[in-house]
Amino acid sequence: MVTIVDTLNRPQDPSEARPRHPEKAHRPDNPVQRKPKWIRVKAPTSPVYKETHNTVRQNNLVTVCEEAGCPNIGECWSKKHASFMILGDTCTRACAFCNVRTGMPGPVDPKEPQGVADAVATMGLEHVVVTSVDRDDLDDGGARHFADVIQAIRKTSPSTTVEVLTPDFLRKDGAMEIVVEARPDVFNHNLETVPSKYLKVRPGARYFHSIRLLQKVKELAPEMFTKSGIMVGLGEERNEVLQLMDDLRAADIDFLTIGQYLQPSKKHHPVMSFVTPEEFKGYERIAYAKGFLKVSASPLTRSSHHAGEDFADLRAARKAKLGH
C-alpha cells in the first residue's frame, strides 16, 4: 500500500531511465484483461482534483493514490481526500501485485512529517490516511518516522483523526510498538491475500507474522481500531477467504476491506478472475456475521477509500455494541 508520482509533468532526471520494476523485467508477459463494466471509472477532470494535485506537489509529497494506480483517485481527489505515502517512493520489496517503484530507497526526508502535516491542514482533512513503502533497509523499518508524522499532524491539526497503514516491520523488534505509542486512531496492516498465495504474491512477507502484528496492536491498545484488507481475483478459493476472516477475528480485528485485484502491467501477477458485485456482497454479509464492526467489500474497495466515513461508522458500531 503506497504514493503517487507524476512521471508526465515533473522534471526528468537520470534515475527515471531506470525500469520501475527491474526485478520483473525478465518475466514473461501476462496479458492484461479487459475490465468488466462494473470496474470502469471516469478520468478525473474536476477543478478540486487539480487543487489536491497542486497541494501534493507543493509539499513535495507522494500519495498511494498515484503510485499504486488507484482507480478511485478521481473521486477521492475531487473531494480533497488523499492518502499520503511516506518514507519515499521506492520499496525494498517486490510484491507481484504492486505498482510501487522497487529498488534501494534514498535517505529519509526529515522535513516530510511537517510537510504531511501542512498538507493535511491546507486540505482541511478531518481524517487522514498515512502509509509507506517497505523500508527493510532501516533499523526500525521506518516506525519512528511514522510516529513523527502522527505527532506533526496532531500538533498542526489537533481535531484530525489519523489512520496508519503500515508495513509488517518483519524482523524489526519493537517497531510496531513505536507506532502504537504515537496513538493513531486506526492501525491498519493489510494481509493482501490468503496464505496459500504468499509465495507468489507477497514473497517477502509472512502471513502469520502479519496476523500476530495486528493482534499485538490490540493487546497493547485495546481501544485502538485495527483494520486489514485483502484483494481477491488472485486465484484464491472462497473457503480460504472465509478462513482468513476467522484468523482476523481471532486477533480481534475490527475492520475488514476486500477489493478486486487489478493488474498494473504485463509483468505483474495476472488477474485470475473478476469477482462479481454479488460475490462481494456475499463476502460482506459473512464477514459481518463473523463479528467485524465494519466491512467494506466491493470491486473498487481500497484500504483508504472512504476512510473518513468508514471511521465514523466504526465508532458508531463500537458504541452500539457496547450499548452506549
Side-chain angles (χ1 to χ4, degrees):
M1 311 206 141
V2 209
T3 299
I4 306 172
V5 177
D6 185 353
T7 57
L8 295 178
N9 299 316
R10 70 176 184 173
Q12 298 295 302
D13 59 57
S15 66
E16 293 291 74
R18 176 184 175 277
R20 188 174 182 81
H21 302 287
E23 78 290 342
K24 296 179 175 67
H26 67 284
R27 297 179 183 175
D29 289 351
N30 293 310
V32 179
Q33 298 184 46
R34 181 177 174 81
K35 298 179 182 68
K37 61 182 180 181
W38 61 77
I39 289 180
R40 297 170 199 168
V41 295
K42 295 180 179 179
T45 57
S46 78
V48 180
Y49 172 91
K50 294 177 181 177
E51 287 180 29
T52 304
H53 176 277
N54 290 339
T55 299
V56 170
R57 293 294 173 270
Q58 288 165 7
N59 288 279
N60 195 31
L61 300 174
V62 182
T63 67
V64 70
C65 325
E66 294 174 288
E67 195 68 22
C70 181
N72 302 312
I73 186 172
E75 176 192 350
C76 293
W77 283 30
S78 294
K79 296 177 180 178
K80 285 194 174 182
H81 295 168
S83 298
F84 299 105
M85 188 171 81
I86 61 175
L87 294 164
D89 67 354
T90 303
C91 186
T92 54
R93 298 192 191 173
C95 296
F97 65 87
C98 188
N99 194 42
V100 176
R101 188 183 307 276
T102 55
M104 180 53 68
V108 176
D109 180 3
K111 296 180 180 179
E112 186 172 55
Q114 192 57 51
V116 172
D118 290 343
V120 169
T122 298
M123 296 166 71
L125 297 182
E126 296 179 359
H127 184 85
V128 61
V129 179
V130 179
T131 186
S132 79
V133 291
D134 275 288
R135 290 298 301 259
D136 295 316
D137 58 310
L138 301 176
D139 290 342
D140 66 354
R144 173 49 58 193
H145 199 69
F146 263 103
D148 290 343
V149 171
I150 294 168
Q151 291 162 2
I153 294 170
R154 297 285 193 218
K155 183 177 181 180
T156 306
S157 303
S159 63
T160 299
T161 50
V162 181
E163 178 173 330
V164 294
L165 172 54
T166 76
D168 59 12
F169 300 124
L170 189 62
R171 302 184 184 90
K172 309 290 184 183
D173 291 344
M176 172 272 294
E177 289 84 350
I178 292 172
V179 181
V180 172
E181 188 176 352
R183 286 295 186 266
D185 297 280
V186 182
F187 192 112
N188 184 6
H189 170 63
N190 285 333
L191 295 181
E192 306 294 6
T193 187
V194 299
S196 69
K197 299 301 171 187
Y198 264 52
L199 191 59
K200 285 189 175 181
V201 174
R202 199 181 176 216
R206 301 293 179 269
Y207 177 80
F208 286 106
H209 169 82
S210 288
I211 291 284
R212 178 58 182 146
L213 179 140
L214 288 162
Q215 184 179 42
K216 287 172 68 177
V217 170
K218 187 65 78 172
E219 290 171 356
L220 289 168
E223 77 289 351
M224 191 175 293
F225 290 106
T226 49
K227 178 177 176 181
S228 190
I230 63 167
M231 302 167 288
V232 289
L234 285 160
E236 71 289 332
E237 298 289 338
R238 183 174 182 274
N239 65 320
E240 292 182 294
V241 176
L242 303 189
Q243 180 60 60
L244 177 145
M245 292 181 188
D246 288 338
D247 293 342
L248 287 174
R249 286 303 302 133
D252 201 20
I253 306 309
D254 299 303
F255 186 0
L256 172 65
T257 62
I258 307 176
Q260 171 69 52
Y261 167 63
L262 298 177
Q263 184 180 344
S265 79
K266 292 180 179 180
K267 298 298 182 181
H268 285 76
H269 193 292
V271 173
M272 305 304 292
S273 65
F274 284 108
V275 179
T276 66
E278 292 73 24
E279 290 176 283
F280 277 105
K281 280 294 182 185
Y283 280 138
E284 181 182 283
R285 285 193 295 269
I286 292 170
Y288 272 123
K290 289 180 181 291
F292 290 97
L293 289 179
K294 177 67 180 176
V295 182
S296 180
S298 74
L300 290 174
T301 289
R302 297 297 183 267
S303 289
S304 55
H305 192 212
H306 297 156
E309 295 95 325
D310 289 342
F311 179 66
D313 289 347
L314 262 180
R315 287 196 290 194
R318 175 178 283 174
K319 287 182 180 179
K321 183 178 180 180
L322 297 174
H324 292 169

